[in-house]
Amino acid sequence: MLPLPIKIGYTTPTTLGRDRIAAIAGAWACYPGRSVLVVDAGTAVTYDVLDTDGTFIGGNIAPGLWMRAQALHDMTSRLPLVDVESEHNVALWGTDTEGAIMSGVVRGVAGEIAYYRSQLPDDTIVMLTGGDAVRLAPLIDGNVEIDSLLVCKGLNSILTYNESR
């Protein structure tokens, strides 16, 4: 395995996605010595935690916005397929079925982010990346950084780390 500027605390490192490793390496390059929650919001949503020692301590994987909406449509007999990735305003409470699906899906992910953040030290930085990062960021209380290039920054940090060895 290629030497990394971070440590991997995952018990099955061979099953850990390279995109997740790169995103965590990018977070370490941006915030060395800080605790970071990296949220990659795409087809799936990954929640990955980097501790202050530069160790990836683990994370979680959940369905992304589109996948949640698709599941509601496919696995029920009457719920419509809602474009949850549209630019429509997401009300706190839906006032019709489509609005309820939109709010439930989008605000559900925002709630997951808030929950995971609450389980980490108060000074933990939350970094959002992935296609739905911009959609989710306004719904999350507190300081959240959007970095669409986080994986690229991580790949660059891995390259730089190996060049200096």
Coordinates of all heavy atoms in Angstrom, one line a residue, residues 6 8 10 16-25 27-28 34-41 44-51 55-62 113 116-117 120 124-129 150-151:
I6 N -1.5 10.2 6.6 CA -2.5 10.0 7.7 C -2.3 8.5 8.1 O -1.8 7.7 7.4 CB -3.9 10.3 7.3 CG1 -4.3 9.5 6.1 CG2 -4.1 11.8 7.1 CD1 -5.8 9.5 5.7
I8 N -4.4 5.0 9.2 CA -5.7 4.4 9.0 C -6.0 3.5 10.2 O -5.4 2.6 10.5 CB -5.8 3.6 7.7 CG1 -5.4 4.4 6.5 CG2 -7.1 2.9 7.5 CD1 -6.3 5.5 6.1
Y10 N -9.0 2.0 10.5 CA -10.1 1.2 10.0 C -9.6 -0.3 10.2 O -8.5 -0.6 9.8 CB -10.3 1.5 8.6 CG -11.7 1.4 8.1 CD1 -12.8 2.2 8.6 CD2 -12.0 0.6 7.0 CE1 -14.1 2.1 8.1 CE2 -13.3 0.5 6.4 CZ -14.3 1.2 7.0 OH -15.6 1.2 6.5
L16 N -11.7 0.0 2.5 CA -11.9 1.4 2.6 C -11.7 2.1 1.2 O -10.7 1.9 0.6 CB -10.9 2.0 3.6 CG -11.0 3.5 3.9 CD1 -12.4 3.9 4.4 CD2 -9.9 3.9 4.9
G17 N -12.7 2.8 0.8 CA -12.7 3.4 -0.5 C -11.6 4.4 -0.6 O -11.3 5.2 0.3
R18 N -10.9 4.4 -1.8 CA -9.8 5.3 -2.0 C -10.3 6.8 -2.0 O -9.5 7.7 -1.6 CB -9.2 5.0 -3.4 CG -8.4 3.7 -3.3 CD -7.7 3.4 -4.6 NE -6.9 2.2 -4.4 CZ -7.3 1.0 -4.9 NH1 -8.4 0.8 -5.5 NH2 -6.5 -0.1 -4.7
D19 N -11.5 7.0 -2.4 CA -12.1 8.4 -2.3 C -12.2 8.9 -0.9 O -11.9 10.0 -0.6 CB -13.4 8.5 -3.0 CG -14.5 7.5 -2.5 OD1 -14.1 6.4 -2.0 OD2 -15.7 7.8 -2.6
R20 N -12.5 8.0 0.0 CA -12.6 8.3 1.4 C -11.2 8.6 2.0 O -11.1 9.6 2.8 CB -13.3 7.2 2.2 CG -14.8 7.1 1.8 CD -15.5 5.9 2.5 NE -15.6 6.1 3.9 CZ -15.9 5.1 4.7 NH1 -16.1 3.9 4.3 NH2 -16.1 5.4 6.0
I21 N -10.3 7.8 1.6 CA -8.9 8.0 2.1 C -8.4 9.4 1.6 O -7.8 10.2 2.3 CB -7.9 6.9 1.6 CG1 -8.3 5.6 2.3 CG2 -6.5 7.3 1.8 CD1 -7.6 4.4 1.7
A22 N -8.6 9.7 0.3 CA -8.2 10.9 -0.3 C -8.9 12.1 0.4 O -8.2 13.1 0.7 CB -8.4 11.0 -1.8
A23 N -10.2 12.0 0.7 CA -10.9 13.1 1.3 C -10.3 13.4 2.7 O -10.1 14.5 3.1 CB -12.4 12.8 1.4
I24 N -10.0 12.3 3.5 CA -9.5 12.5 4.8 C -8.1 13.0 4.7 O -7.7 13.9 5.5 CB -9.5 11.1 5.6 CG1 -10.9 10.8 6.0 CG2 -8.5 11.1 6.7 CD1 -11.4 11.7 7.1
A25 N -7.3 12.6 3.8 CA -5.9 13.2 3.6 C -6.0 14.7 3.2 O -5.2 15.5 3.7 CB -5.2 12.4 2.5
A27 N -8.5 16.7 4.2 CA -8.8 17.3 5.4 C -7.6 17.6 6.3 O -7.4 18.6 6.9 CB -9.9 16.5 6.2
W28 N -6.7 16.6 6.4 CA -5.5 16.7 7.2 C -4.6 17.8 6.6 O -3.9 18.5 7.3 CB -4.8 15.3 7.3 CG -3.6 15.4 8.1 CD1 -2.3 15.2 7.7 CD2 -3.5 15.5 9.5 NE1 -1.4 15.3 8.8 CE2 -2.2 15.4 9.9 CE3 -4.5 15.6 10.5 CZ2 -1.7 15.5 11.3 CZ3 -4.1 15.7 11.9 CH2 -2.7 15.6 12.2
R34 N -6.1 19.0 13.8 CA -7.5 19.3 14.2 C -8.4 18.1 14.0 O -8.1 17.2 13.1 CB -8.0 20.5 13.3 CG -7.3 21.8 13.4 CD -7.6 22.5 14.8 NE -9.0 22.7 15.1 CZ -9.7 23.8 14.7 NH1 -9.1 24.8 14.0 NH2 -10.9 23.9 15.1
S35 N -9.4 18.0 14.7 CA -10.4 17.0 14.5 C -11.4 17.4 13.4 O -11.8 18.6 13.4 CB -11.2 16.8 15.8 OG -12.3 15.9 15.6
V36 N -11.6 16.6 12.4 CA -12.4 16.9 11.3 C -13.5 15.8 11.0 O -13.1 14.6 11.0 CB -11.6 17.2 10.0 CG1 -12.4 17.6 8.9 CG2 -10.5 18.1 10.3
L37 N -14.7 16.3 10.8 CA -15.7 15.4 10.2 C -15.9 15.7 8.8 O -16.2 16.8 8.4 CB -17.1 15.6 11.0 CG -18.3 14.9 10.4 CD1 -18.1 13.4 10.4 CD2 -19.6 15.3 11.1
V38 N -15.5 14.7 7.9 CA -15.7 14.9 6.5 C -17.0 14.2 6.0 O -17.2 13.1 6.2 CB -14.5 14.3 5.7 CG1 -14.7 14.3 4.2 CG2 -13.2 15.0 6.1
V39 N -17.8 15.0 5.4 CA -19.1 14.5 4.9 C -19.0 14.7 3.4 O -18.9 15.8 2.8 CB -20.3 15.4 5.4 CG1 -21.6 14.8 4.9 CG2 -20.3 15.4 6.9
D40 N -19.0 13.5 2.7 CA -19.1 13.5 1.2 C -20.5 13.1 0.8 O -20.9 12.0 0.9 CB -18.0 12.5 0.7 CG -17.8 12.6 -0.8 OD1 -18.7 13.2 -1.5 OD2 -16.8 12.1 -1.3
A41 N -21.2 14.1 0.3 CA -22.6 14.0 0.0 C -22.8 13.8 -1.5 O -22.9 14.8 -2.2 CB -23.4 15.2 0.5
A44 N -24.0 8.2 -2.3 CA -24.1 7.8 -0.9 C -23.6 9.0 -0.1 O -22.9 9.9 -0.7 CB -23.2 6.6 -0.6
V45 N -23.8 9.0 1.2 CA -23.2 10.0 2.1 C -22.3 9.3 3.0 O -22.7 8.4 3.7 CB -24.3 10.8 2.9 CG1 -23.7 11.8 3.8 CG2 -25.4 11.4 2.0
T46 N -21.0 9.7 3.0 CA -20.1 9.1 3.9 C -19.7 10.2 4.9 O -19.6 11.4 4.7 CB -18.8 8.7 3.2 OG1 -18.2 9.8 2.5 CG2 -19.1 7.5 2.2
Y47 N -19.6 9.7 6.2 CA -19.2 10.5 7.3 C -17.9 9.9 7.8 O -17.9 8.7 8.3 CB -20.3 10.4 8.4 CG -21.7 10.8 7.9 CD1 -22.6 9.8 7.4 CD2 -22.1 12.1 8.0 CE1 -23.8 10.2 7.0 CE2 -23.4 12.5 7.5 CZ -24.2 11.5 7.1 OH -25.5 11.9 6.6
D48 N -16.8 10.6 7.7 CA -15.5 10.1 8.1 C -14.9 11.0 9.1 O -14.9 12.2 9.0 CB -14.6 9.9 6.9 CG -15.2 8.8 5.9 OD1 -15.6 7.8 6.5 OD2 -15.2 9.0 4.7
V49 N -14.3 10.4 10.1 CA -13.7 11.2 11.2 C -12.2 11.1 11.3 O -11.6 10.0 11.2 CB -14.3 10.7 12.6 CG1 -13.7 11.6 13.7 CG2 -15.8 10.9 12.6
L50 N -11.6 12.2 11.3 CA -10.1 12.3 11.5 C -9.8 12.9 12.9 O -10.4 14.0 13.2 CB -9.6 13.3 10.4 CG -8.1 13.6 10.4 CD1 -7.3 12.4 10.0 CD2 -7.8 14.8 9.4
D51 N -9.0 12.3 13.6 CA -8.7 12.8 15.0 C -7.5 13.7 14.9 O -6.9 13.9 13.9 CB -8.5 11.7 16.0 CG -7.2 10.9 15.9 OD1 -6.3 11.3 15.1 OD2 -7.1 9.8 16.6
T55 N -5.3 10.4 12.5 CA -5.7 9.1 12.3 C -7.2 9.1 11.9 O -8.1 9.7 12.5 CB -5.6 8.3 13.6 OG1 -4.3 8.2 14.1 CG2 -6.1 6.8 13.5
F56 N -7.5 8.4 10.8 CA -8.8 8.1 10.4 C -9.4 7.1 11.3 O -9.0 5.9 11.2 CB -8.8 7.7 8.9 CG -10.2 7.1 8.5 CD1 -11.3 7.9 8.5 CD2 -10.3 5.9 8.0 CE1 -12.6 7.4 8.1 CE2 -11.5 5.4 7.6 CZ -12.7 6.2 7.6
I57 N -10.3 7.5 12.2 CA -10.8 6.5 13.2 C -12.0 5.7 12.8 O -12.4 4.8 13.4 CB -11.1 7.2 14.5 CG1 -12.1 8.3 14.4 CG2 -9.8 7.8 15.1 CD1 -12.6 8.9 15.7
G58 N -12.6 6.1 11.6 CA -13.8 5.4 11.1 C -14.8 6.3 10.6 O -14.6 7.5 10.5
G59 N -15.9 5.7 10.2 CA -17.0 6.5 9.6 C -18.2 5.7 9.3 O -18.2 4.5 9.7
N60 N -19.1 6.3 8.7 CA -20.4 5.7 8.4 C -20.8 6.0 6.9 O -20.3 7.0 6.4 CB -21.5 6.2 9.3 CG -21.3 5.8 10.8 OD1 -20.6 4.7 11.0 ND2 -21.7 6.6 11.7
I61 N -21.6 5.1 6.4 CA -22.1 5.2 5.0 C -23.6 5.1 5.1 O -24.2 4.2 5.7 CB -21.5 4.1 4.1 CG1 -20.0 4.2 4.1 CG2 -22.1 4.3 2.7 CD1 -19.3 3.0 3.4
A62 N -24.3 6.1 4.4 CA -25.7 6.1 4.3 C -26.2 6.5 2.9 O -25.4 7.0 2.1 CB -26.3 7.2 5.3
I113 N -25.9 14.9 9.9 CA -24.7 15.6 10.0 C -24.6 16.3 11.4 O -23.6 16.2 12.1 CB -24.5 16.7 8.9 CG1 -24.4 16.0 7.5 CG2 -23.3 17.6 9.1 CD1 -24.6 16.9 6.3
Y116 N -23.9 13.6 14.1 CA -22.5 13.1 14.1 C -21.6 14.2 14.7 O -20.7 13.9 15.4 CB -22.1 12.6 12.8 CG -22.8 11.3 12.4 CD1 -23.4 11.1 11.1 CD2 -22.8 10.2 13.2 CE1 -24.0 10.0 10.8 CE2 -23.4 9.0 12.9 CZ -24.0 8.9 11.6 OH -24.6 7.7 11.3
R117 N -21.9 15.4 14.3 CA -21.0 16.5 14.8 C -21.2 16.6 16.3 O -20.2 16.8 17.0 CB -21.5 17.8 14.2 CG -20.8 19.0 14.8 CD -21.5 20.3 14.4 NE -20.5 21.1 13.7 CZ -20.8 22.1 13.0 NH1 -22.1 22.4 12.8 NH2 -19.9 22.8 12.4
L120 N -18.8 14.5 18.5 CA -17.3 14.8 18.4 C -17.0 16.0 19.3 O -17.8 16.8 19.7 CB -17.0 15.1 16.9 CG -17.2 13.9 16.0 CD1 -17.2 14.3 14.6 CD2 -16.3 12.7 16.3
T124 N -14.5 20.5 16.6 CA -14.3 19.7 15.3 C -14.8 20.5 14.1 O -15.8 21.2 14.2 CB -15.2 18.4 15.4 OG1 -14.7 17.6 16.5 CG2 -15.2 17.6 14.1
I125 N -14.0 20.5 13.1 CA -14.4 21.1 11.8 C -15.2 20.2 11.0 O -14.9 19.0 10.9 CB -13.1 21.6 11.1 CG1 -12.3 22.6 11.9 CG2 -13.4 22.1 9.7 CD1 -10.9 22.8 11.5
V126 N -16.3 20.7 10.4 CA -17.1 19.9 9.5 C -16.8 20.4 8.1 O -16.9 21.6 7.7 CB -18.6 20.1 9.8 CG1 -19.4 19.3 8.7 CG2 -18.9 19.6 11.2
M127 N -16.3 19.5 7.2 CA -16.0 19.7 5.8 C -17.0 19.0 5.0 O -17.1 17.7 5.1 CB -14.6 19.4 5.5 CG -13.6 20.2 6.2 SD -11.9 19.8 5.7 CE -11.8 20.8 4.2
L128 N -17.7 19.7 4.1 CA -18.6 19.0 3.2 C -18.0 19.0 1.8 O -17.4 20.0 1.3 CB -19.9 19.8 3.1 CG -20.9 19.8 4.3 CD1 -22.1 20.7 4.0 CD2 -21.4 18.4 4.6
T129 N -18.2 17.9 1.1 CA -17.8 17.8 -0.3 C -18.8 16.9 -1.0 O -19.7 16.4 -0.4 CB -16.3 17.2 -0.4 OG1 -15.8 17.4 -1.7 CG2 -16.3 15.8 0.0
L150 N -11.8 18.7 -2.2 CA -11.2 18.0 -1.1 C -10.5 16.8 -1.5 O -9.3 16.5 -1.1 CB -12.2 17.8 0.0 CG -11.6 17.2 1.3 CD1 -10.7 18.2 1.9 CD2 -12.8 16.9 2.3
V151 N -11.1 15.9 -2.3 CA -10.4 14.7 -2.7 C -9.2 15.0 -3.6 O -8.1 14.4 -3.4 CB -11.4 13.8 -3.5 CG1 -10.7 12.6 -4.2 CG2 -12.5 13.3 -2.6

